[in-house]
Amino acid sequence: MPDQVELLRRLIVVDSVNPDLVPGGSGEAAIADYCAGWLAERGFEITWLEERPGRPSVVAVARGSGGGPALMLNGHLDTVTLAGYDGDPLAPRVEDGRLYGRGAFDMKSGLAAMMTAAARAVAAGPLRGDLLVCCVADEEHSSAGTEEVLRGFSADAAIVTEPSHLEITLAHKGFAWFDVVVEGVAAHGSRPDLGVDAIAKAGHFLVAIEEWGERLAAGPAHPLLGRGSVHASLIRGGEEASSYPAACRITVERRTVPGERPEAELAAILDRLAATVPGFAYRLEPGLRREPFEADREAAIVRTVLAQAEQVLGRPPVIRAEPFWTDCALLAGAGIPCLLVGVDGGGAHAATEWVELDSLDRLTELLTRTIWEFCS
């Protein structure tokens, strides 16, 4: 069995459900320990990062001989829930060229490929530049692992090995979350003269969100990512049937492409409503925000990966963009040119998950070639 397949099997056996997604989940400690031991046995210097107890990330470094650029490989240790999986999610199974199990696609296959490629490249001879293998916690929730890594480590370029069907991802959307609290005045239901219905006032805002989405859908499109979008995710208001509600809280998600300013757009909509709708008052509470990502196609790492992918695939690789957010944006925000490439397969977050083993082999070869070319 190829090294990367056996390593993937061993990684899938280790429960690493993100406890921020599933209360009581095992977290990343056991799988981080396994990855650290595996890489240490192959000569890597290990740094254990654990600002949040029980939520470690591992940075394994192979020091270069000097004079070459440093390359960072990034992959996440955590998975989504095991509940509802069809069969035993921690018992990897090979059938018809596929390996099944939770995390097989998203993204223990990427971990196995980058760890194996790093070990092969280092064993083949000294690299000039440093090679950093970052096995990070918490990508499935808030990416605390990559944020912690970037507070202590950097590189001249990076590759994230999230699954991408062996296509080269050079852009992805960002997102911003907002809570809009539409304010009313609480009163008994029999006293409309005293009460202001926050839920009814919020209706004006919900209509404005729909109109905002229509404007985005009709506006200019990014060449890879298309258009941004907006929707109301959550709504909560009122206490009981016989009272005017004092507040109605609406959570809004805005998916963004490069160059957009969602805060300014939202503030303008709310200010217009406050000026035109009698009794409309609001409070805006910004939440989590993650920036969109777009790689520079002329960056050395992009040109290197594209050239090596063509060699491994026997054809020019497909260039793609993702509608979802990834750790690429954090790396790029830290000034590290990067891109994303990973295996083929399916079933991410689903009841059945698998990786196409041929793609795992190809990804491992692509990463091995890229490490050697870039760091040497």
Tab-separated table of all heavy atoms in Angstrom, residues 11-52:
chain	number	residue	atom	x	y	z
A	11	LEU	N	-4.882	8.079	10.001
A	11	LEU	CA	-5.450	9.362	10.414
A	11	LEU	C	-6.964	9.273	10.591
A	11	LEU	O	-7.531	9.877	11.512
A	11	LEU	CB	-5.100	10.443	9.390
A	11	LEU	CG	-3.623	10.813	9.272
A	11	LEU	CD1	-3.422	11.820	8.140
A	11	LEU	CD2	-3.069	11.361	10.572
A	12	ILE	N	-7.628	8.529	9.719
A	12	ILE	CA	-9.086	8.418	9.805
A	12	ILE	C	-9.503	7.686	11.077
A	12	ILE	O	-10.528	8.023	11.695
A	12	ILE	CB	-9.639	7.724	8.551
A	12	ILE	CG1	-9.541	8.654	7.347
A	12	ILE	CG2	-11.095	7.279	8.763
A	12	ILE	CD1	-9.929	8.025	6.037
A	13	VAL	N	-8.717	6.724	11.501
A	13	VAL	CA	-9.050	5.963	12.711
A	13	VAL	C	-9.127	6.868	13.939
A	13	VAL	O	-9.877	6.593	14.881
A	13	VAL	CB	-8.005	4.839	12.916
A	13	VAL	CG1	-8.101	4.240	14.309
A	13	VAL	CG2	-8.185	3.757	11.858
A	14	VAL	N	-8.378	7.965	13.948
A	14	VAL	CA	-8.329	8.853	15.108
A	14	VAL	C	-9.506	9.833	15.069
A	14	VAL	O	-9.646	10.616	14.124
A	14	VAL	CB	-7.000	9.629	15.146
A	14	VAL	CG1	-6.936	10.503	16.394
A	14	VAL	CG2	-5.821	8.675	15.095
A	15	ASP	N	-10.344	9.784	16.074
A	15	ASP	CA	-11.479	10.695	16.195
A	15	ASP	C	-10.959	12.110	16.439
A	15	ASP	O	-10.233	12.359	17.407
A	15	ASP	CB	-12.353	10.233	17.366
A	15	ASP	CG	-13.593	11.086	17.577
A	15	ASP	OD1	-13.722	12.140	16.930
A	15	ASP	OD2	-14.431	10.698	18.418
A	16	SER	N	-11.326	13.052	15.563
A	16	SER	CA	-10.892	14.443	15.740
A	16	SER	C	-12.046	15.413	15.470
A	16	SER	O	-11.871	16.461	14.853
A	16	SER	CB	-9.703	14.758	14.826
A	16	SER	OG	-10.013	14.523	13.464
A	17	VAL	N	-13.230	15.056	15.958
A	17	VAL	CA	-14.409	15.910	15.777
A	17	VAL	C	-14.209	17.229	16.515
A	17	VAL	O	-13.789	17.263	17.679
A	17	VAL	CB	-15.675	15.202	16.275
A	17	VAL	CG1	-16.862	16.160	16.299
A	17	VAL	CG2	-15.990	14.002	15.399
A	18	ASN	N	-14.519	18.322	15.840
A	18	ASN	CA	-14.349	19.659	16.405
A	18	ASN	C	-15.383	19.896	17.515
A	18	ASN	O	-16.592	19.892	17.247
A	18	ASN	CB	-14.514	20.699	15.300
A	18	ASN	CG	-14.154	22.095	15.743
A	18	ASN	OD1	-14.528	22.544	16.808
A	18	ASN	ND2	-13.431	22.807	14.894
A	19	PRO	N	-14.942	20.124	18.760
A	19	PRO	CA	-15.908	20.302	19.850
A	19	PRO	C	-16.657	21.620	19.804
A	19	PRO	O	-17.663	21.777	20.503
A	19	PRO	CB	-15.028	20.205	21.107
A	19	PRO	CG	-13.670	20.585	20.654
A	19	PRO	CD	-13.550	20.104	19.239
A	20	ASP	N	-16.192	22.576	19.011
A	20	ASP	CA	-16.976	23.798	18.835
A	20	ASP	C	-18.181	23.564	17.934
A	20	ASP	O	-19.152	24.327	17.970
A	20	ASP	CB	-16.105	24.907	18.254
A	20	ASP	CG	-15.160	25.505	19.279
A	20	ASP	OD1	-15.495	25.472	20.477
A	20	ASP	OD2	-14.084	25.990	18.889
A	21	LEU	N	-18.115	22.514	17.114
A	21	LEU	CA	-19.257	22.133	16.287
A	21	LEU	C	-20.151	21.133	16.997
A	21	LEU	O	-21.377	21.187	16.869
A	21	LEU	CB	-18.765	21.513	14.966
A	21	LEU	CG	-17.979	22.404	14.013
A	21	LEU	CD1	-17.528	21.586	12.813
A	21	LEU	CD2	-18.809	23.590	13.562
A	22	VAL	N	-19.532	20.200	17.712
A	22	VAL	CA	-20.253	19.122	18.391
A	22	VAL	C	-19.828	19.132	19.853
A	22	VAL	O	-18.715	18.687	20.174
A	22	VAL	CB	-19.933	17.750	17.757
A	22	VAL	CG1	-20.726	16.653	18.455
A	22	VAL	CG2	-20.225	17.763	16.265
A	23	PRO	N	-20.641	19.649	20.762
A	23	PRO	CA	-20.253	19.659	22.174
A	23	PRO	C	-19.837	18.267	22.642
A	23	PRO	O	-20.531	17.284	22.383
A	23	PRO	CB	-21.533	20.131	22.877
A	23	PRO	CG	-22.229	20.972	21.849
A	23	PRO	CD	-21.954	20.285	20.535
A	24	GLY	N	-18.680	18.201	23.282
A	24	GLY	CA	-18.149	16.916	23.710
A	24	GLY	C	-17.286	16.233	22.679
A	24	GLY	O	-16.792	15.128	22.917
A	25	GLY	N	-17.103	16.858	21.502
A	25	GLY	CA	-16.251	16.275	20.466
A	25	GLY	C	-14.826	16.077	20.960
A	25	GLY	O	-14.341	16.795	21.840
A	26	SER	N	-14.148	15.105	20.370
A	26	SER	CA	-12.827	14.712	20.869
A	26	SER	C	-11.760	15.787	20.696
A	26	SER	O	-10.785	15.831	21.443
A	26	SER	CB	-12.372	13.439	20.152
A	26	SER	OG	-13.219	12.361	20.454
A	27	GLY	N	-11.884	16.641	19.705
A	27	GLY	CA	-10.864	17.644	19.462
A	27	GLY	C	-9.647	17.067	18.761
A	27	GLY	O	-9.636	15.914	18.318
A	28	GLU	N	-8.593	17.850	18.702
A	28	GLU	CA	-7.457	17.527	17.855
A	28	GLU	C	-6.252	16.956	18.593
A	28	GLU	O	-5.225	16.666	17.966
A	28	GLU	CB	-7.014	18.783	17.092
A	28	GLU	CG	-8.057	19.385	16.177
A	28	GLU	CD	-8.961	20.398	16.849
A	28	GLU	OE1	-8.845	20.553	18.103
A	28	GLU	OE2	-9.774	21.028	16.158
A	29	ALA	N	-6.321	16.793	19.909
A	29	ALA	CA	-5.125	16.425	20.674
A	29	ALA	C	-4.536	15.092	20.217
A	29	ALA	O	-3.325	14.977	20.007
A	29	ALA	CB	-5.442	16.375	22.169
A	30	ALA	N	-5.364	14.072	20.058
A	30	ALA	CA	-4.850	12.746	19.709
A	30	ALA	C	-4.251	12.729	18.306
A	30	ALA	O	-3.171	12.165	18.082
A	30	ALA	CB	-5.958	11.703	19.830
A	31	ILE	N	-4.922	13.350	17.344
A	31	ILE	CA	-4.413	13.317	15.978
A	31	ILE	C	-3.190	14.232	15.841
A	31	ILE	O	-2.250	13.916	15.103
A	31	ILE	CB	-5.513	13.677	14.954
A	31	ILE	CG1	-5.048	13.306	13.549
A	31	ILE	CG2	-5.916	15.134	15.046
A	31	ILE	CD1	-6.154	13.374	12.515
A	32	ALA	N	-3.150	15.337	16.575
A	32	ALA	CA	-1.961	16.188	16.564
A	32	ALA	C	-0.759	15.423	17.109
A	32	ALA	O	0.358	15.528	16.576
A	32	ALA	CB	-2.207	17.459	17.374
A	33	ASP	N	-0.981	14.662	18.166
A	33	ASP	CA	0.096	13.861	18.744
A	33	ASP	C	0.607	12.837	17.742
A	33	ASP	O	1.822	12.632	17.610
A	33	ASP	CB	-0.408	13.172	20.011
A	33	ASP	CG	0.690	12.427	20.742
A	33	ASP	OD1	1.642	13.068	21.197
A	33	ASP	OD2	0.596	11.180	20.842
A	34	TYR	N	-0.311	12.212	17.004
A	34	TYR	CA	0.124	11.220	16.009
A	34	TYR	C	0.934	11.886	14.896
A	34	TYR	O	2.000	11.399	14.508
A	34	TYR	CB	-1.081	10.497	15.407
A	34	TYR	CG	-0.668	9.447	14.408
A	34	TYR	CD1	-0.328	8.160	14.821
A	34	TYR	CD2	-0.558	9.750	13.051
A	34	TYR	CE1	0.104	7.208	13.915
A	34	TYR	CE2	-0.125	8.805	12.141
A	34	TYR	CZ	0.201	7.535	12.577
A	34	TYR	OH	0.644	6.599	11.688
A	35	CYS	N	0.435	13.010	14.381
A	35	CYS	CA	1.148	13.695	13.296
A	35	CYS	C	2.519	14.179	13.762
A	35	CYS	O	3.514	14.075	13.022
A	35	CYS	CB	0.322	14.872	12.783
A	35	CYS	SG	-1.191	14.396	11.913
A	36	ALA	N	2.583	14.711	14.980
A	36	ALA	CA	3.862	15.183	15.505
A	36	ALA	C	4.861	14.037	15.602
A	36	ALA	O	6.034	14.184	15.221
A	36	ALA	CB	3.654	15.829	16.878
A	37	GLY	N	4.417	12.886	16.107
A	37	GLY	CA	5.312	11.739	16.216
A	37	GLY	C	5.771	11.238	14.862
A	37	GLY	O	6.952	10.912	14.672
A	38	TRP	N	4.850	11.176	13.910
A	38	TRP	CA	5.176	10.695	12.563
A	38	TRP	C	6.222	11.595	11.911
A	38	TRP	O	7.197	11.113	11.319
A	38	TRP	CB	3.900	10.657	11.737
A	38	TRP	CG	3.976	9.925	10.435
A	38	TRP	CD1	3.630	8.629	10.203
A	38	TRP	CD2	4.419	10.458	9.161
A	38	TRP	NE1	3.819	8.313	8.879
A	38	TRP	CE2	4.301	9.407	8.213
A	38	TRP	CE3	4.883	11.691	8.752
A	38	TRP	CZ2	4.626	9.573	6.880
A	38	TRP	CZ3	5.229	11.859	7.413
A	38	TRP	CH2	5.098	10.818	6.499
A	39	LEU	N	6.040	12.897	12.044
A	39	LEU	CA	6.973	13.833	11.413
A	39	LEU	C	8.301	13.891	12.167
A	39	LEU	O	9.366	14.022	11.551
A	39	LEU	CB	6.323	15.215	11.339
A	39	LEU	CG	5.178	15.319	10.310
A	39	LEU	CD1	4.275	16.508	10.620
A	39	LEU	CD2	5.727	15.418	8.891
A	40	ALA	N	8.266	13.781	13.484
A	40	ALA	CA	9.504	13.780	14.253
A	40	ALA	C	10.373	12.580	13.888
A	40	ALA	O	11.611	12.703	13.789
A	40	ALA	CB	9.198	13.770	15.751
A	41	GLU	N	9.754	11.428	13.670
A	41	GLU	CA	10.503	10.237	13.271
A	41	GLU	C	11.237	10.440	11.951
A	41	GLU	O	12.209	9.735	11.663
A	41	GLU	CB	9.564	9.035	13.150
A	41	GLU	CG	9.061	8.507	14.478
A	41	GLU	CD	8.072	7.377	14.292
A	41	GLU	OE1	7.762	7.041	13.118
A	41	GLU	OE2	7.596	6.840	15.305
A	42	ARG	N	10.782	11.383	11.151
A	42	ARG	CA	11.380	11.636	9.851
A	42	ARG	C	12.256	12.877	9.854
A	42	ARG	O	12.565	13.435	8.797
A	42	ARG	CB	10.271	11.705	8.802
A	42	ARG	CG	9.687	10.316	8.531
A	42	ARG	CD	8.248	10.333	8.084
A	42	ARG	NE	7.791	8.963	7.858
A	42	ARG	CZ	7.340	8.154	8.839
A	42	ARG	NH1	7.306	8.589	10.091
A	42	ARG	NH2	6.952	6.916	8.557
A	43	GLY	N	12.646	13.311	11.031
A	43	GLY	CA	13.658	14.344	11.155
A	43	GLY	C	13.171	15.773	11.252
A	43	GLY	O	13.983	16.699	11.234
A	44	PHE	N	11.872	15.982	11.358
A	44	PHE	CA	11.346	17.340	11.453
A	44	PHE	C	11.424	17.858	12.888
A	44	PHE	O	11.225	17.109	13.841
A	44	PHE	CB	9.893	17.389	10.971
A	44	PHE	CG	9.718	17.270	9.485
A	44	PHE	CD1	9.814	16.035	8.855
A	44	PHE	CD2	9.460	18.385	8.719
A	44	PHE	CE1	9.653	15.916	7.483
A	44	PHE	CE2	9.301	18.291	7.339
A	44	PHE	CZ	9.401	17.045	6.725
A	45	GLU	N	11.703	19.169	13.018
A	45	GLU	CA	11.624	19.832	14.324
A	45	GLU	C	10.151	20.136	14.622
A	45	GLU	O	9.463	20.734	13.790
A	45	GLU	CB	12.413	21.137	14.312
A	45	GLU	CG	13.870	20.994	13.965
A	45	GLU	CD	14.532	22.347	13.780
A	45	GLU	OE1	13.914	23.370	14.161
A	45	GLU	OE2	15.642	22.393	13.230
A	46	ILE	N	9.695	19.771	15.809
A	46	ILE	CA	8.275	19.881	16.139
A	46	ILE	C	8.041	21.020	17.121
A	46	ILE	O	8.704	21.106	18.156
A	46	ILE	CB	7.742	18.571	16.741
A	46	ILE	CG1	8.003	17.389	15.799
A	46	ILE	CG2	6.260	18.702	17.063
A	46	ILE	CD1	7.353	17.514	14.443
A	47	THR	N	7.083	21.885	16.788
A	47	THR	CA	6.588	22.900	17.718
A	47	THR	C	5.115	22.621	17.982
A	47	THR	O	4.323	22.501	17.037
A	47	THR	CB	6.751	24.321	17.161
A	47	THR	OG1	8.135	24.571	16.912
A	47	THR	CG2	6.226	25.353	18.150
A	48	TRP	N	4.781	22.490	19.253
A	48	TRP	CA	3.410	22.195	19.675
A	48	TRP	C	2.764	23.504	20.115
A	48	TRP	O	3.263	24.190	21.001
A	48	TRP	CB	3.448	21.199	20.830
A	48	TRP	CG	2.133	20.677	21.304
A	48	TRP	CD1	1.333	21.242	22.257
A	48	TRP	CD2	1.470	19.478	20.899
A	48	TRP	NE1	0.207	20.473	22.460
A	48	TRP	CE2	0.269	19.382	21.648
A	48	TRP	CE3	1.787	18.480	19.979
A	48	TRP	CZ2	-0.616	18.318	21.493
A	48	TRP	CZ3	0.902	17.426	19.828
A	48	TRP	CH2	-0.273	17.344	20.570
A	49	LEU	N	1.666	23.889	19.497
A	49	LEU	CA	0.954	25.135	19.804
A	49	LEU	C	-0.395	24.800	20.418
A	49	LEU	O	-1.184	24.067	19.816
A	49	LEU	CB	0.764	25.963	18.534
A	49	LEU	CG	2.029	26.335	17.750
A	49	LEU	CD1	1.648	27.026	16.453
A	49	LEU	CD2	2.930	27.230	18.585
A	50	GLU	N	-0.664	25.367	21.595
A	50	GLU	CA	-1.930	25.018	22.267
A	50	GLU	C	-2.399	26.163	23.162
A	50	GLU	O	-2.490	26.035	24.373
A	50	GLU	CB	-1.755	23.731	23.073
A	50	GLU	CG	-3.069	23.108	23.510
A	50	GLU	CD	-2.903	21.741	24.159
A	50	GLU	OE1	-1.762	21.210	24.181
A	50	GLU	OE2	-3.912	21.198	24.648
A	51	GLU	N	-2.710	27.300	22.537
A	51	GLU	CA	-3.265	28.412	23.302
A	51	GLU	C	-4.597	28.023	23.934
A	51	GLU	O	-4.902	28.431	25.054
A	51	GLU	CB	-3.458	29.625	22.402
A	51	GLU	CG	-2.162	30.298	21.979
A	51	GLU	CD	-2.405	31.494	21.085
A	51	GLU	OE1	-3.583	31.767	20.743
A	51	GLU	OE2	-1.413	32.151	20.713
A	52	ARG	N	-5.390	27.249	23.214
A	52	ARG	CA	-6.650	26.737	23.762
A	52	ARG	C	-6.409	25.307	24.222
A	52	ARG	O	-6.088	24.437	23.398
A	52	ARG	CB	-7.755	26.765	22.704
A	52	ARG	CG	-8.130	28.144	22.225
A	52	ARG	CD	-9.243	28.060	21.190
A	52	ARG	NE	-10.459	27.481	21.746
A	52	ARG	CZ	-11.485	27.062	21.018
A	52	ARG	NH1	-11.436	27.124	19.693
A	52	ARG	NH2	-12.556	26.563	21.591
